[in-house]
Amino acid sequence: EAGVTQFPSHSVIEKGQTVTLRCDPISGHDNLYWYRRVMGKEIKFLLHFVKESKQDESGMPNNRFLAERTGGTYSTLKVQPAELEDSGVYFCASSQVIGRAAGVGEKLFFGSGTQLSVL
Amino acid sequence: GENVEQHPSTLSVQEGDSAVIKCTYSDSASNYFPWYKQELGKRPQLIIDIRSNVGEKKDQRIAVTLNKTAKHFSLHITETQPEDSAVYFCAARNTGKLIFGQGTTLQVKP
């Protein structure tokens, strides 16, 4: 089974430029999440898609960040214009709720992340 | 919203010793508590999880305990090995999303 894939693995851009990150979740996973980790801090929630709908975008820092998931498959996260504080590792994760009624938790599968450096 | 605090931020142990990482959460409605391990340059991977209706769960050398009253949960690794060296994250599920702690960098010295 293919895992969650993210592209690119690294991106170095200058302040004010635009960057688009892509995530391909595990096939069949309706839930897709974006997270970000700034050096030494927690993996911070950004937003959650259920299929193509934004379920929760309470973690999005500001309107320079735009996430889409057209067709409910892959997702993109665009940062425009990028600022220095946007640097960090952006993780995508996907899940398929399994037997919630049976008491089984929702297991999240992560991609390898995109290391974004804004100079 | 939910807030998860994790301690310590770094932990160094001798091979063969035990390691304990502790987390507290703020929202009593959280009901699922996974632990992720991230090795250098790799993706975070689920190593063990526990639901709120269970107090303890064990899988070989790793175990997790949950105290719902005190709102804290812990990861215990026994007989540590060098390959256990990694960053460990605890998390709590709240309103459909996981909220993570700050991470613990575990170093196991041979």
Side-chain angles (χ1 to χ4, degrees):
Chain A
E1 176 184 270
V4 178
T5 57
Q6 291 186 245
F7 181 84
S9 57
H10 294 81
S11 181
V12 181
I13 61 173
E14 292 188 351
K15 175 182 172 180
Q17 289 187 321
T18 297
V19 62
T20 300
L21 314 181
R22 173 170 169 145
C23 169
D24 286 76
I26 292 172
S27 177
H29 281 193
D30 289 340
N31 296 296
L32 186 150
Y33 303 81
W34 283 99
Y35 284 87
R36 175 174 71 179
R37 188 180 191 218
V38 174
M39 178 72 77
K41 298 196 174 181
E42 77 272 25
I43 300 175
K44 189 172 170 59
F45 170 79
L46 297 179
L47 91 160
H48 171 204
F49 283 101
V50 177
K51 296 185 180 179
E52 68 275 11
S53 299
K54 290 177 185 174
Q55 181 77 14
D56 182 349
E57 52 184 329
S58 61
M60 294 289 263
N62 49 60
N63 59 10
R64 295 186 294 102
F65 288 74
L66 175 64
E68 294 181 323
R69 192 183 182 195
T70 307
T73 55
Y74 71 91
S75 175
T76 58
L77 180 64
K78 181 191 289 188
V79 185
Q80 179 182 32
E83 298 289 343
L84 300 179
E85 63 265 25
D86 300 333
S87 296
V89 180
Y90 288 77
F91 288 106
C92 175
S94 72
S95 73
Q96 180 184 44
V97 177
I98 304 171
R100 191 188 290 271
V104 178
E106 180 178 341
K107 299 182 187 296
L108 219 58
F109 295 87
F110 277 84
S112 298
T114 294
Q115 173 76 59
L116 175 64
S117 298
V118 183
L119 307 179
Chain B
E2 176 65 281
N3 183 50
V4 178
E5 296 286 335
Q6 181 172 347
H7 298 281
S9 57
T10 60
L11 179 60
S12 182
V13 300
Q14 207 67 38
E15 182 178 359
D17 287 350
S18 295
V20 180
I21 303 170
K22 298 182 179 182
C23 290
T24 60
Y25 60 101
S26 60
D27 191 342
S28 55
S30 292
N31 60 4
Y32 172 65
F33 307 91
W35 286 87
Y36 283 80
K37 174 185 179 183
Q38 186 182 18
E39 296 177 72
L40 192 62
K42 297 189 177 181
R43 67 190 70 197
Q45 291 200 307
L46 178 70
I47 55 171
I48 195 166
D49 56 9
I50 192 168
R51 286 185 61 86
S52 56
N53 58 352
V54 175
E56 184 174 356
K57 184 176 178 181
K58 191 173 182 180
D59 182 4
Q60 298 182 6
R61 294 186 299 107
I62 60 173
V64 57
T65 58
L66 170 66
N67 183 326
K68 281 196 303 181
T69 304
K71 289 189 282 188
H72 66 71
F73 55 114
S74 301
L75 178 71
H76 304 252
I77 307 174
T78 58
E79 300 171 28
T80 53
Q81 300 168 3
E83 52 265 38
D84 295 329
S85 296
V87 180
Y88 291 80
F89 294 95
C90 64
R93 184 177 68 186
N94 183 273
T95 61
K97 60 184 181 282
L98 290 183
I99 304 299
F100 286 86
Q102 296 88 340
T104 296
T105 301
L106 173 64
Q107 181 188 26
V108 180
K109 295 182 284 188

